[in-house]
Amino acid sequence: MRDESGVNGNGASRSQYGIEALNVYCGLAYIPVRSIFEHRGLDLGRLGNLMMEKRSIALPFEDPVTNAVNAAKPIVDALDDEQRDRIEIVVTSSESGIDYSKSITSYVHEYLGLSRNCRIVEMKQACYAATAAVQMAIGYVASGMSPGAKVLIIATDIALVDARTEYAEPAVGTGAAAVLISDQPHIMALDLGAFGNYSFETMDSARPTPEFDIADVDGSLFAYLDCLSGSFEDYCSRVDSADFISSFDQLALHTPFSGLVKAAHRKMMRELTQASPRQVEEDFLRRVAPSLAYPTVVGNLCSGSVYLALASMIECAPYARPSRVGLFSYGSGCSSEFFSGTIDSNSKTSLAKLRIASHLESRCELSFEEYLALLKENLRCLMPVEDREIDVARYDHFLQRTRERRRILVWQGVKKFHRQYQWH
């Protein structure tokens, strides 16, 4: 067993492997969650339980490839030529596959201008796959087989939800999270060997066609809660003296919607501690709430969700010394993992360079009528068609309405099944 006794916020030690850089891209537009509730006739009494304010919405020229590239490009651009060439593996994780054979990664690798001496691959396990890739990447860079190597992991998805999914519609966002793994953990050093897994087969959600999601909201909620308990129990079996309260200064959990994270924290506190309701609420506000600032205005980023929560926590939590973070990653179907790492003041400084909060604030607000007009186009995004043309200029007013212009990759369409992209 790994001995974590005495290693907490008062004496957290950092390993030499982990997340060198982290960025998220959450599209150019959003709709207020209340607007969806009101226009769909959903029960406004449930809005408070959701704990969400905004939902990121894809524009027709945004797809899993553009989301991935736009999330990762600032990270890649910050590297010099020698560092960029040390990216030896590129992995995308997605529920939104664009082909039964050709990977999203093949396009991403091309438009990021990375070395042709890369391994490239795509992974799928609902909202968990990016964490599986992170753990395998840590094993690769820590093995010493290629000293100084870096691994780029990008969790990227779009939403296919509409009125058919009822209360899931207001919660699902769009975008990507890019994570660079190396022996320079400027953002977070992972605790090697400190993890717990819990998996079983269930049909809590699925995507049986390229234009429709199935969502068993109640089934997914219970599976999520079971997996949090089960994976943390497995973590404790591997890590001596692990304790839900004292071992972790902060928590960042997969966030389908913020209300579920609050319920999960409350469940764990009731099961594992003697805390009073007031103490549970105080602990939530101190250790969990900072991680929800960004998810609350984005929605569920699928396998990028826990890394959006991590970015939110690093930027919004008050900490002045090295701190240990407990993370929980969950993917429907289902697979999960509880793991941990340490952050310090350099984490906040390094992440601030990406200006994530500014990018989120620059998104333009959609009316419900604009939202409905976009849904039909967005539901066609993954359909396998031989030819399709997207008139990007038609949506230029959305680009002009954003308060912060930036060069992004856009999807132009398909020619003989080959997807076409350009920089805008």
Side-chain angles (χ1 to χ4, degrees):
M1 289 187 180
R2 179 182 173 87
D3 183 8
E4 287 290 333
S5 59
V7 182
N8 51 34
N10 295 319
S13 59
R14 289 171 66 89
S15 76
Q16 59 179 346
Y17 304 102
I19 300 176
E20 177 179 339
L22 169 64
N23 189 40
V24 295
Y25 173 81
C26 302
L28 300 178
Y30 74 90
I31 185 170
V33 169
R34 175 175 283 274
S35 178
I36 297 177
F37 265 73
E38 291 175 345
H39 286 88
R40 295 296 196 198
L42 300 176
D43 180 5
L44 284 170
R46 298 179 63 171
L47 181 58
N49 294 332
L50 203 63
M51 291 177 60
M52 281 193 57
E53 298 175 11
K54 302 174 183 178
R55 175 193 161 194
S56 278
I57 304 298
L59 299 175
F61 53 77
E62 296 180 302
D63 76 346
V65 172
T66 65
N67 285 341
V69 171
N70 292 330
K73 193 170 192 308
I75 292 176
V76 173
D77 286 351
L79 303 174
D80 62 32
D81 291 343
E82 182 178 354
Q83 292 172 326
R84 194 175 301 119
D85 286 344
R86 294 316 316 271
I87 297 177
E88 298 184 1
I89 304 175
V90 184
V91 183
T92 57
S93 66
S94 184
E95 299 176 33
S96 307
I98 56 174
D99 188 277
Y100 287 114
S101 175
K102 186 179 179 67
S103 73
I104 292 170
T105 320
S106 58
Y107 290 104
V108 172
H109 172 262
E110 173 69 17
Y111 284 96
L112 288 177
L114 297 175
S115 166
R116 294 202 170 189
N117 302 121
C118 280
R119 292 188 177 99
I120 60 173
V121 68
E122 180 181 333
M123 297 177 63
K124 179 178 74 173
Q125 180 50 55
C127 300
Y128 168 71
T131 295
V134 164
Q135 293 289 22
M136 286 187 280
I138 286 292
Y140 179 77
V141 300
S143 70
M145 69 175 65
S146 184
K150 302 178 190 292
V151 180
L152 179 61
I153 298 157
I154 314 169
T156 181
D157 270 295
I158 62 163
L160 298 181
V161 293
D162 56 14
R164 294 172 293 179
T165 57
E166 297 182 324
Y167 287 93
E169 183 183 7
V172 183
T174 187
V179 181
L180 185 64
I181 300 295
S182 77
D183 59 2
Q184 301 178 60
H186 302 312
I187 300 296
M188 185 177 75
L190 288 182
D191 296 328
L192 301 187
F195 63 91
N197 297 114
Y198 196 76
S199 307
F200 57 92
E201 195 280 324
T202 183
M203 192 68 172
D204 59 330
S205 75
R207 183 171 288 179
T209 78
E211 55 182 349
F212 179 56
D213 276 341
I214 293 173
D216 177 354
V217 175
D218 291 338
S220 190
L221 185 152
F222 289 119
Y224 178 103
L225 296 176
D226 286 347
C227 282
L228 176 56
S229 297
S231 61
F232 183 70
E233 181 179 356
D234 190 42
Y235 180 96
C236 292
S237 74
R238 301 171 188 272
V239 180
D240 288 340
S241 304
D243 178 81
F244 189 70
I245 291 183
S246 63
S247 294
F248 312 105
D249 300 277
Q250 299 289 330
L251 296 168
L253 281 60
H254 170 55
T255 309
F257 57 94
S258 296
L260 177 54
V261 172
K262 185 170 187 178
H265 169 263
R266 182 171 61 245
K267 174 181 181 290
M268 295 293 283
M269 291 291 287
R270 288 175 175 175
E271 291 180 351
L272 301 176
T273 77
Q274 301 298 314
S276 67
R278 179 182 61 81
Q279 291 171 322
V280 171
E281 179 66 15
E282 290 175 349
D283 188 78
F284 170 78
L285 293 174
R286 179 175 61 85
R287 293 200 300 156
V288 183
S291 73
L292 301 179
Y294 294 165
T296 295
V297 297
V298 170
N300 185 2
L301 271 195
C302 298
S303 65
S305 171
V306 68
Y307 300 101
L308 176 66
L310 175 62
S312 179
M313 184 275 298
I314 289 173
E315 296 215 288
C316 300
Y319 57 93
R321 50 180 167 76
S323 300
R324 176 154 278 107
V325 182
L327 300 102
F328 172 63
S329 180
Y330 170 81
S332 293
C334 65
S335 186
S336 66
E337 182 162 349
F338 191 96
F339 59 113
S340 61
T342 56
I343 60 174
D344 58 22
S345 59
N346 185 54
S347 303
K348 192 183 293 283
T349 301
S350 297
L351 193 59
K353 297 173 183 177
L354 279 300
R355 304 176 66 237
I356 294 172
S358 176
H359 293 325
L360 293 178
E361 291 171 1
S362 75
R363 294 170 300 165
C364 62
E365 180 178 337
L366 301 172
S367 68
F368 190 74
E369 291 70 27
E370 288 174 320
Y371 168 70
L372 286 181
L374 291 173
L375 279 184
K376 184 177 180 180
E377 286 298 304
N378 287 347
L379 290 176
R380 299 171 58 201
C381 179
L382 305 179
M383 291 297 292
V385 295
E386 184 171 2
D387 294 287
R388 180 184 176 189
E389 183 175 346
I390 297 172
D391 184 3
V392 177
R394 177 184 174 188
Y395 305 98
D396 192 60
H397 61 288
F398 288 112
L399 291 167
Q400 300 301 328
R401 283 164 52 187
T402 59
R403 285 178 289 157
E404 182 181 349
R405 289 301 306 267
R406 52 186 180 262
R407 189 167 180 258
I408 63 170
L409 189 72
V410 299
W411 178 36
Q412 292 181 291
V414 183
K415 293 182 180 179
K416 297 188 182 301
F417 295 107
H418 189 203
R419 295 172 85 93
Q420 309 292 308
Y421 299 92
Q422 70 173 8
W423 291 102
H424 190 285

